[in-house]
Amino acid sequence: MADVEMAKTLIKVGGILSVIEPFLIAFMLLLTVIGVLFAVPFAILGFWIYNRANECIELIENGEYKKAKDKLLIPAIIALILTSRVGGILMLLGLVLLPSEESTSTF
């Protein structure tokens, strides 16, 4: 279960970084004329990635690891390519640490 907790932490931190970095990029782009066109999409994309990361944390807490992996794979790759390199890498590492099967209790 330590891997699951570490995966949740990595996904949370990656989600937060995916929000912070686009806002910093958007702020710097606002200083230029062409930046006005890119500032709002970067901010919306970062917020979408953060929301998907939070939804995946809820799925992980419910033991639905496969659904969490499927739900976060695309946002993590988009974060890696477009918004936050570090945040995308952390989210992908978190997905790798998750177990591949659903959790089952045998009490």
Side-chain angles (χ1 to χ4, degrees), residues 8 15 24 28 42 96:
K8 283 174 36 178
L24 292 176
M28 291 187 324
F42 271 129
V96 169

Side-chain angles (χ1 to χ4, degrees), residues 12-101:
K12 284 180 187 178
V13 171
I16 292 170
L17 287 176
S18 293
V19 171
I20 293 172
E21 281 189 48
F23 277 112
L24 292 176
I25 292 169
F27 177 73
M28 291 187 324
L29 288 175
L30 280 174
L31 300 176
T32 65
V33 173
I34 196 164
V36 175
L37 299 173
F38 293 107
V40 173
F42 271 129
I44 291 171
L45 188 60
F47 186 68
W48 176 73
I49 292 169
Y50 177 74
N51 282 339
R52 290 293 283 240
N54 283 340
E55 291 171 9
C56 288
I57 295 297
E58 291 176 14
L59 288 172
I60 292 169
E61 288 173 352
N62 293 335
E64 300 173 3
Y65 304 126
K66 177 77 170 127
K67 287 182 184 178
K69 284 184 176 185
D70 292 341
K71 189 169 198 116
L72 193 62
L73 184 61
I74 299 297
I77 292 172
I78 290 173
L80 180 66
I81 295 171
L82 294 177
T83 60
S84 170
R85 307 298 187 268
V86 176
I89 290 171
L90 289 177
M91 285 190 285
L92 287 173
L93 285 174
L95 291 178
V96 169
L97 288 176
L98 287 176
S100 57
E101 67 273 345

